[in-house]
Amino acid sequence: MTTQNPAAAVGQDKNLPEWRAQKTYSRNLADSRIKATLPPLTPEEEARPFAKYYYEPIKPADPAHLAAMDQPMDPAMAFGPEEINRLLDIPGLEAGVEVGWCNLPNGAGYIANTIVYPDVTADMIDWWFAWHPLEDLRYRIWYPPQHAGIMLSPIDRARILDPAVPNREKNWGVVHNVTENTDCGFENIDIAFRSPADMGFDMDRFHKVVATCAAGMGWAVAVEKCDTSITAPAIMCHAFYDVPGGLRHRTRFWMGYRFTEEGKPELCLPPDVAVPVEAVQGLARHNVREFTRFGDFLPRIYKELGNSMYC
Amino acid sequence: MPIKLMAASRRRPGLTRAEYFRYIEHYHGTVARLERFKITRYIQNHVIDGAFGVLSDTAHKNRAVDREGVVELYFDEFRDMIATLEPKGVTQSRANQDGKFFADESTNVIVMAEEVELPVANPRPKFNPGLGEPGHGAVKVMQFIMRKPEVFPQDYHRLWRQAHDEAMANSSYAREMFRKITVSKRSRINDNDAAARAHFKMVDPPVYDMVVSVTLDSMEQVGAFRQYFDAMVESRLDFADWSESFFLYVRPVRIIDDAPPKD
């Protein structure tokens, strides 16, 4: 994993909003209950140059696209995270199921999705995934109905704001602590991003096929956590491919899987337990809606603010 | 990758330390061998000595005062751990029922962890039967380090590693005598510890995100750990609640281990 340098941000102006947003872990965890109520924007948030995106109408998902998530797909058309390099086989992907979800025979949840984004570039993707975790509102404007807040640790914030780290690499080894509702109630989800190599991609082939990617592993638990709450792992991969006039986005989720310390995907469901259908379908439908919105507003916000991590 | 379940217990009322050690090794250990289920390796660590909190504490703030033993149960994967803690067709395994005879179960502390081994400057150069377990040294120090609640878990591990490297650089005796360093990092799988709590029966246990194990040749060298520990506590990096942390000098006892000795 990427080495982090806590001193990287020394000398930067800590009074800027991007630094002042920092909270402690315990404070953020406690505040997540407030965030999950989707409170109105504060006066400080209202004054941010991107606040207008919070109020604009959300582009609805294509009904046919959403309908493809109504019923589970054939699990025989799915593949596991150990075969992540199948995302580099474009003809194979096009011949398979590109939009769907199911439970795998081992109980894991599987989601496939694809969307084409006109006028979106890989640089925009890299900028967005580095820019948006710096403040709650940046995450909320992505999908206001279900995105409640986000936090970085101090060391991760320093990495994101380190001008020496390229946008494409800023998230490698960084954890986004998000508060999000993926159709089963608000959860605190700790998403640990990884480099493509750490995801298991064959990097010689990866660079020939994929324009950029945002991927990692998340642990999700209800904001209103109780003694019997389950903390659920999932491996996530958003891969973006150059197509004429824009990018094609392919998503895969493997719910119930984690990465071990040595970097291997591992199913960690108890025996005879499957990821609940509601959780798999909920995330599948959420994914269609949040990324429909994403493709709609990314070119506009990038044109306005995409030259910096600060604004 | 193997996952490990660690449980640190103290002896039940009415038992001497010697009685506790005899029972857990010779009776409970036999129960585990007879009802092995999916355990791949089982090490008991019998506590010789230890310290809870730090010298600057005027009173104990540690919820885990007094430990007599730490067991380490290894499994190939999480599913195997669950299959062992909640075996099919068995209401309560013998091991589950046996704990009450030696441990004060409600105070057990558990950590589900994955091991990461760190390099040492001076691994033991050759096999010596006078120094206990081949390749390891006879004495192990197990340090349970409590994360400060305000520190993000990801930063806790990074800051610990930085403090560790600096402490080692400043501790020449530790550099010379540490034969093996193993970091047991608490897995988020531990969040789903209902089966383990049912098995070990602890109530509202403190949560430790990391256990660092160091092996030394013998008790004569534990001053090397004290030198390292003092350097850690004095670190400028603020990540641990040392008053809620503790370390134990232990004697490892192999109950189940199919792997041949490495030396």
Side-chain angles (χ1 to χ4, degrees):
Chain A
M1 296 296 289
T2 312
T3 302
Q4 309 259 335
N5 178 7
V10 170
Q12 299 185 35
D13 181 357
K14 301 293 172 57
N15 288 317
L16 294 170
E18 289 77 6
W19 290 99
R20 282 194 285 110
Q22 187 64 59
K23 292 180 181 175
T24 67
Y25 181 69
S26 46
R27 179 76 264 161
N28 186 58
L29 208 53
D31 285 354
S32 66
R33 294 186 174 203
I34 301 168
K35 294 182 189 183
T37 65
L38 300 175
L41 304 194
T42 64
E44 292 77 16
E45 287 174 325
E46 294 281 9
R48 301 294 282 140
F50 45 87
K52 60 182 181 254
Y53 292 98
Y54 181 76
Y55 295 108
E56 69 179 16
I58 304 297
K59 180 183 177 183
D62 172 8
H65 191 170
L66 212 47
M69 297 299 192
D70 282 350
Q71 299 296 326
M73 59 183 272
D74 178 0
M77 303 297 284
F79 58 89
E82 307 85 356
E83 298 181 277
I84 198 166
N85 283 301
R86 286 176 63 171
L87 285 170
L88 306 181
D89 174 15
I90 304 295
L93 292 168
E94 289 174 345
V97 176
E98 295 253 56
V99 180
W101 62 272
C102 63
N103 278 105
L104 300 177
N106 63 13
Y110 174 86
I111 296 169
N113 191 25
T114 187
I115 306 182
V116 172
Y117 305 133
D119 304 322
V120 170
T121 66
D123 285 344
M124 294 183 193
I125 301 292
D126 295 336
W127 169 80
W128 171 259
F129 275 94
W131 182 86
H132 86 260
L134 289 164
E135 294 175 70
D136 281 328
L137 184 56
R138 299 183 185 203
Y139 183 63
R140 290 184 74 178
I141 62 174
W142 176 352
Y143 193 64
Q146 293 185 303
H147 286 188
I150 194 164
M151 188 51 58
L152 295 166
S153 78
I155 293 177
D156 285 342
R157 185 175 299 275
R159 178 178 172 84
I160 295 286
L161 290 170
D162 182 350
V165 180
N167 284 356
R168 183 155 300 177
E169 299 177 15
K170 282 184 185 293
N171 276 311
W172 295 0
V174 162
V175 177
H176 294 190
N177 300 96
V178 309
T179 304
E180 181 180 22
N181 179 356
T182 60
D183 276 14
C184 287
F186 274 102
E187 295 176 302
N188 285 319
I189 310 174
D190 301 333
I191 307 168
F193 284 82
R194 304 168 77 90
S195 70
D198 285 335
M199 290 297 295
F201 279 113
D202 172 347
M203 294 310 293
D204 287 340
R205 292 168 59 205
F206 180 89
H207 287 307
K208 293 171 186 160
V209 177
V210 177
T212 192
C213 103
M217 178 186 73
W219 290 94
V221 65
V223 167
E224 297 294 338
K225 182 178 184 293
C226 65
D227 195 44
T228 54
S229 295
I230 298 295
T231 303
I235 292 176
M236 163 195 90
C237 184
H238 298 295
F240 301 87
Y241 307 72
D242 283 319
V243 294
L247 287 181
R248 175 176 287 281
H249 176 191
R250 288 187 173 91
T251 291
R252 291 295 182 277
F253 280 98
W254 292 280
M255 303 167 75
Y257 275 90
R258 67 172 187 134
F259 281 109
T260 64
E261 275 294 317
E262 62 184 7
K264 298 279 194 310
E266 180 186 271
L267 182 72
C268 47
L269 297 171
D272 305 321
V273 169
V275 177
V277 165
E278 297 78 14
V280 188
Q281 186 181 30
L283 179 55
R285 293 171 63 87
H286 171 78
N287 184 263
V288 172
R289 292 193 297 259
E290 70 173 340
F291 279 101
T292 299
R293 156 70 169 168
F294 178 80
D296 176 53
F297 92 126
L298 181 58
R300 291 183 283 124
I301 194 169
Y302 181 79
K303 186 176 179 184
E304 190 179 355
L305 302 169
N307 62 348
S308 175
M309 290 293 106
Y310 295 95
C311 62
Chain B
M1 181 172 187
I3 188 157
K4 177 171 74 171
L5 177 57
M6 310 172 80
S9 67
R10 71 178 185 186
R11 66 190 189 274
R12 58 155 293 158
L15 277 191
T16 68
R17 285 169 58 84
E19 288 164 346
Y20 170 93
F21 294 141
R22 185 186 66 222
Y23 189 93
I24 194 172
E25 179 175 354
H26 297 292
Y27 190 87
H28 192 68
T30 301
V31 167
R33 282 189 288 266
L34 291 172
E35 279 191 347
R36 181 170 172 166
F37 297 111
K38 303 254 183 181
I39 298 170
T40 59
R41 190 164 178 254
Y42 176 9
I43 305 296
Q44 292 181 354
N45 298 284
H46 296 186
V47 174
I48 302 165
D49 202 351
F52 300 79
V54 284
L55 290 171
S56 56
D57 295 336
T58 53
H60 277 296
K61 299 171 186 171
N62 206 305
R63 284 176 287 164
V65 284
D66 296 337
R67 297 288 110 174
E68 265 74 43
V70 183
V71 299
E72 297 176 281
L73 300 165
Y74 293 78
F75 305 87
D76 282 339
E77 57 184 25
F78 176 67
R79 294 160 73 91
D80 289 347
M81 182 190 297
I82 295 298
T84 300
L85 294 173
E86 296 176 337
K88 269 188 177 173
V90 179
T91 309
Q92 274 196 314
S93 67
R94 283 181 68 185
N96 182 304
Q97 296 173 66
D98 192 43
K100 61 179 176 288
F101 295 119
F102 61 90
D104 178 13
E105 291 183 300
S106 66
T107 66
N108 284 341
V109 171
I110 65 160
V111 185
M112 293 180 195
E114 288 176 279
E115 291 186 346
V116 178
E117 195 169 329
L118 300 187
V120 290
N122 193 20
R124 195 152 58 82
K126 60 182 180 181
F127 174 60
N128 182 336
L131 295 175
E133 195 162 320
H136 289 208
V139 170
K140 182 157 76 175
V141 188
M142 304 185 82
Q143 189 183 19
F144 287 67
I145 306 175
M146 176 69 73
R147 175 177 56 82
K148 280 195 162 181
E150 57 268 34
V151 176
F152 285 73
Q154 57 268 33
D155 283 1
Y156 165 79
H157 289 288
R158 295 162 180 152
L159 292 168
W160 174 84
R161 181 58 195 268
Q162 189 179 342
H164 166 81
D165 288 345
E166 291 172 5
M168 290 301 289
N170 292 325
S171 307
S172 57
Y173 188 29
R175 273 203 312 283
E176 182 186 359
M177 297 312 308
F178 283 13
R179 301 309 194 194
K180 183 178 181 182
I181 303 171
T182 305
V183 180
S184 297
K185 298 174 71 173
R186 178 183 179 276
S187 170
R188 289 296 298 272
I189 287 175
N190 204 149
D191 291 3
N192 304 316
D193 67 349
R197 275 185 282 136
H199 184 92
F200 289 103
K201 303 186 178 64
M202 63 278 194
V203 177
D204 192 23
V207 174
Y208 291 90
D209 282 351
M210 188 178 352
V211 182
V212 180
S213 299
V214 172
T215 59
L216 304 159
D217 287 344
S218 74
M219 278 297 288
E220 304 302 317
Q221 287 84 36
V222 294
F225 176 78
R226 175 61 81 168
Q227 181 188 51
Y228 161 81
F229 175 74
D230 289 347
M232 288 294 285
V233 172
E234 289 164 12
S235 170
R236 73 194 189 290
L237 302 171
D238 193 22
F239 59 95
D241 181 342
W242 296 109
S243 297
E244 280 260 36
S245 303
F246 62 95
F247 64 82
L248 307 167
Y249 301 139
V250 303
R251 182 176 68 92
V253 176
R254 181 180 278 144
I255 303 298
I256 295 172
D257 191 352
D258 299 331
K262 287 180 182 170
D263 276 7

